[in-house]
Amino acid sequence: MRLAFINDVRTLAIACVLLLSAATAVPAQELVTMTGGASVYVVRPGDTLASVAARFAMSVPALVAANGLGRPNTIAPGQTLSVDNAHLAVVDAGTPITINIAQRMLFFAADGRVSGYPITVGQSSWPTPVGSFTIVDKERDPVWDVPVSIQREMEQQGKPVITRMPPSPQNPLGAHWLRLSIPSLGIHGTNAPSSIYRYGSHGCIRMHPEHIAELFERVAIGTAGVLKYEPIILAPIGERVWLEVHPDPYRRRLQPERYLREMADRLALGHRVDWNKAIAALRERAGRPADVTAGAP
């Protein structure tokens, strides 16, 4: 099983046709598709519910509910779990890397497919910035030069102050580092895989070790990307309209229903949306695509 969430190329082709035939529905500079989907995962030695959920961009409660686990903290090697890592991907055409901070997903578009990877982004007190970037450096087994701000945090928490950490299993950058053109920002691995798919970093983008190893080989210095913050994603794919809603830890969408209705009008989708389903999805904020097509069963 591939650990990156590879999208069916046919879905991307449908999205591209949709963009060409209905320019009023989706901005021409964006491609819309869906990555991932339902599958099964065989538990490996050392896995926990937290680590499996992090790998597949799910919350632990969602993973527990999907598998009817009576004792959520006990899984065993060889056990089969149902997982669902479906996510809406709205990527900038011509920009290989699209990072949606609120969605906690990184999408990489290349060779006619879109791969989706769960990430950890900045906590609300250390927000990840938005904006365009390029990859300016690639490094294996990076040294961590601890920023002064994090040194101060260590001191305030009564921890030993570290200024520099060489490559090691304790290095929080993991084995791969992609330096971005945005100062002090990078995409890197982690020595704590269970920490993925959270709002918990000091601003950088943290990835599962297996995912960053794959992405590291697929990108080059100069690869372009964009950082967005969009907890509400409304997108047409084929004949359906999908809505994916995430929490808003940075509190930038304080009127979500109004924002959604304005988005629907801007995309010329208002008449195609079942608003009862849409409002329910806004309230649930499940972080999963919901079919909100008017008239859908």
Side-chain angles (χ1 to χ4, degrees), residues 70 98 109 133 140 143 150 188 224 238:
T98 298
F133 64 85
R140 296 181 186 272
V143 172
I150 298 181
H188 62 82

Side-chain angles (χ1 to χ4, degrees), residues 95-118:
T95 303
I97 300 175
T98 298
I99 297 172
N100 187 334
I101 299 165
Q103 196 178 16
R104 291 158 294 159
M105 291 292 295
L106 180 152
F107 300 105
F108 182 68
D111 303 322
R113 68 181 185 181
V114 178
S115 306
Y117 303 93

Side-chain angles (χ1 to χ4, degrees), residues 2-19:
R2 291 184 64 81
L3 295 178
F5 309 152
I6 306 302
N7 180 68
D8 189 324
V9 176
R10 293 172 299 175
T11 305
L12 181 58
I14 291 172
C16 292
V17 171
L18 180 65
L19 290 173

Side-chain angles (χ1 to χ4, degrees), residues 2 36 62 110 123 183 191 201 295:
R2 291 184 64 81
Q123 53 195 287
N191 61 346
S201 77

Side-chain angles (χ1 to χ4, degrees), residues 113-240:
R113 68 181 185 181
V114 178
S115 306
Y117 303 93
I119 57 176
T120 284
V121 295
Q123 53 195 287
S124 57
S125 57
W126 298 79
T128 300
V130 298
S132 299
F133 64 85
T134 57
I135 293 175
V136 296
D137 193 19
K138 297 174 60 176
E139 187 177 353
R140 296 181 186 272
D141 299 320
V143 172
W144 184 34
D145 292 308
V146 185
V148 173
S149 57
I150 298 181
Q151 294 180 39
R152 290 172 180 164
E153 183 184 62
M154 292 174 178
E155 185 176 15
Q156 292 170 358
Q157 294 176 350
K159 298 178 180 179
V161 177
I162 300 171
T163 60
R164 184 178 174 87
M165 181 177 289
S168 72
Q170 288 72 45
N171 190 318
L173 299 185
H176 300 85
W177 166 260
L178 299 172
R179 187 181 306 279
L180 306 186
S181 55
I182 299 175
S184 303
L185 200 66
I187 304 170
H188 62 82
T190 179
N191 61 346
S194 296
S195 69
I196 301 303
Y197 200 54
R198 299 182 184 178
Y199 311 95
S201 77
H202 292 88
C204 281
I205 294 89
R206 186 187 308 166
M207 297 182 68
H208 190 280
E210 294 181 25
H211 296 162
I212 183 64
E214 179 175 308
L215 183 67
F216 190 90
E217 298 300 327
R218 299 180 69 188
V219 301
I221 293 175
T223 298
V226 62
L227 283 150
K228 302 179 176 181
Y229 183 88
E230 187 48 79
I232 302 172
I233 305 118
L234 182 70
I237 299 179
E239 300 298 320
R240 320 306 296 173

